[in-house]
Amino acid sequence: MFATLKWRVGMIITLLVLCGFALLPKEGPDGERIPPLNLGLDLQGGMHLALEIDDSDDTLAGDVVDDAIERTLTTIRNRIDEFGVREPQIQRAGNRIIVELAGIQDRDRARAIVERTAFMEFKIVTDGAALIQALPRMDRAVVNEIGEENLQRTPITTDVDLTQILEGAAAVDSQQATPVDTVGAPETAAPDSAAAIVPGPDSAQAADTVDSPVTGAELRPLTALLSQGQIAGEFFVAEQDVPTVERYLALESVQALVPREVALHWGVEQFAAGGTSYRPLYVLDSEPLLTGEFLQDAGPANRDPTFNRPIVPFETTRRGARLFERGTSRHVNDNMAIVLDGRVQSYAVIRSTLSRRAQIELAPGASFQEAQDLALVLRAGALPMPIRIVEERSVGPSLGADSIRQGRMAFIIGVIAVVVVMIGYYHLSGVLAVTAMTGYVVFVLGGLAGLDATLTLPGIAGLILSVGMAVDANVLIFERIREELDAGKTPRTAVEAGFANALSAIVDANLTTLITGIILFQFGTGPVRGFAVTLCIGILASFFSAIYVTRTLFMIYLNRRGASESVSI
């Protein structure tokens, strides 16, 4: 008996020490002290996002949407994990994806990382001749679609030479206008990937591509807004005219006239010249040399030692390396653009064949954090389809502090009420139950901390509810002990019989509640899951406390009292 009691006490002390160790504050990677319990969105503030697949045209079938949602869920989860948010809640709710980021500081950055499609393509910059030849027909389509009366008041009209229209940026300083972003293998790359692409745009090269002037007694609403860029296939548009050009190019009749072999992409870089801000428009091959799906790794971001610009190294898969090598070998001395989410991030000249490793140099003015975020989304993968935020809520930390204060007050009041009732009704046995309940609280909090579970406001409610359930088990045991004592049994026999006879009722009550908690966790979302986690851990802890800890305390109590003394119950 003594050996059994000693083993029981040792086990309880060991569990208490382990739970106490789990409740010690942790040290973060930057030396900051991290609380042992992860607080949910409603307790420490943060942001809540509800996302949907952007199927505005309603063209996707149900199985396609379902697959896209699952892939999007995985991609967003990978991105958030890379972003470093502690205990994010990312889950599917029907056709929506719910993202809850507790304690987030830079909400705009987190939103941008979640929304970014991050679909990367490597495309060859064409000479632009196909678009130039199509411009007269596109101009006529704009006039027919919009109407001459709705165009600019002073449109450029008859007998206009295209080379004159496209020479507006000729005076732009070459250092300002030339994108010097570099795509190439880092210095530490393997020999098979040592080929590099270095910047080499030449405005004279672009001038040779304008084959012949376009003339005609007609309006030129689209052509008039284009200026020749620094390389063939690049055009400059004044920033104030960008919405107009986008509106023209979005017309169905104009889209039908865009040559099939080319694709038009805006650049991300803006530059100023002569007091005017310009944005580049590129004419690229419609078929990419390589897409981001063949990326194997990207980053970490660093800086180019020559120009001190942020760069993102990347590595392709073996199949991607073969495609990249085959494609670039056919386009040596051509310009290649890096297109991210439909925008040209940078471009440069292919000096020799590229293989598996290369790097992306961001546009001038880009921050190092932008390079880190780009590497992050490239590593996590591209979203299969664009998404849109349909609901966004922000929770301030002050509201969370109020919830913690009120939850703490409710817990204290509930515990005090339970202690008073138990001791007042069951006397010394009630004291033993309260002692076991103290251990129960340590077990629950230690379990939450050890499992890295997130404590939410409904979780606090579940914790308080499980306290009542822990006391309920003790009530069943004590009442059975009273019945056995009334039947004339000795105190030791009555205690043994009371625990044995109450066990089935306690197991049934706890098991049914545990099953309910598991169902809530499996099918619930957000606060419901937080409630379910705390409830399930509390049920297990209450069962252990009532059956094991309380019985151990009774064994100690019975060993220290005389054989003729009655049990205070």
Side-chain angles (χ1 to χ4, degrees), residues 11 21-22 32 77 79 88 94 103 112 127 175 257 300 330 332 353 356 366 434 467 470 507 521 527:
M11 183 176 179
F21 180 77
E32 75 277 13
R77 184 176 288 115
R79 291 183 181 183
D127 58 8
Q175 182 64 29
L257 295 173
R330 299 195 303 265
V332 175
T353 301
R356 192 168 185 177
V434 170
V467 169
V507 170
F521 178 81

Side-chain angles (χ1 to χ4, degrees), residues 211-235:
D211 298 331
S212 60
V214 177
T215 61
E218 55 187 296
L219 297 173
R220 304 282 185 162
L222 180 58
T223 303
L225 301 179
L226 303 178
S227 302
Q228 179 61 49
Q230 292 294 298
I231 62 170
E234 179 187 52
F235 298 99

Side-chain angles (χ1 to χ4, degrees), residues 116-147:
R116 193 170 192 178
T117 307
F119 182 69
M120 190 170 70
E121 300 171 291
F122 296 88
K123 290 186 173 183
I124 296 299
V125 182
T126 71
D127 58 8
L131 179 66
I132 292 175
Q133 293 175 2
L135 277 176
R137 298 190 301 275
M138 297 170 69
D139 284 327
R140 288 194 294 269
V142 172
V143 175
N144 294 334
E145 189 86 16
I146 296 180

Side-chain angles (χ1 to χ4, degrees), residues 462-495:
L463 177 62
I464 298 174
L465 176 61
S466 60
V467 169
M469 296 190 63
V471 174
D472 177 67
N474 284 292
V475 170
L476 289 175
I477 295 172
F478 293 167
E479 290 300 324
R480 294 307 298 262
I481 293 175
R482 280 182 170 180
E483 292 176 1
E484 299 297 333
L485 290 173
D486 292 340
K489 294 184 178 180
T490 63
R492 187 179 299 277
T493 304
V495 170

Side-chain angles (χ1 to χ4, degrees), residues 513-531:
T513 308
L514 182 63
I515 292 174
T516 303
I518 293 174
I519 294 174
L520 289 175
F521 178 81
Q522 181 66 30
F523 298 101
T525 59
V528 176
R529 289 171 65 95
F531 172 81

Side-chain angles (χ1 to χ4, degrees), residues 159-178:
D159 298 328
V160 179
D161 185 89
L162 185 61
T163 56
Q164 296 176 354
I165 297 174
L166 300 180
E167 65 183 4
V172 176
D173 181 80
S174 60
Q175 182 64 29
Q176 282 185 308
T178 302

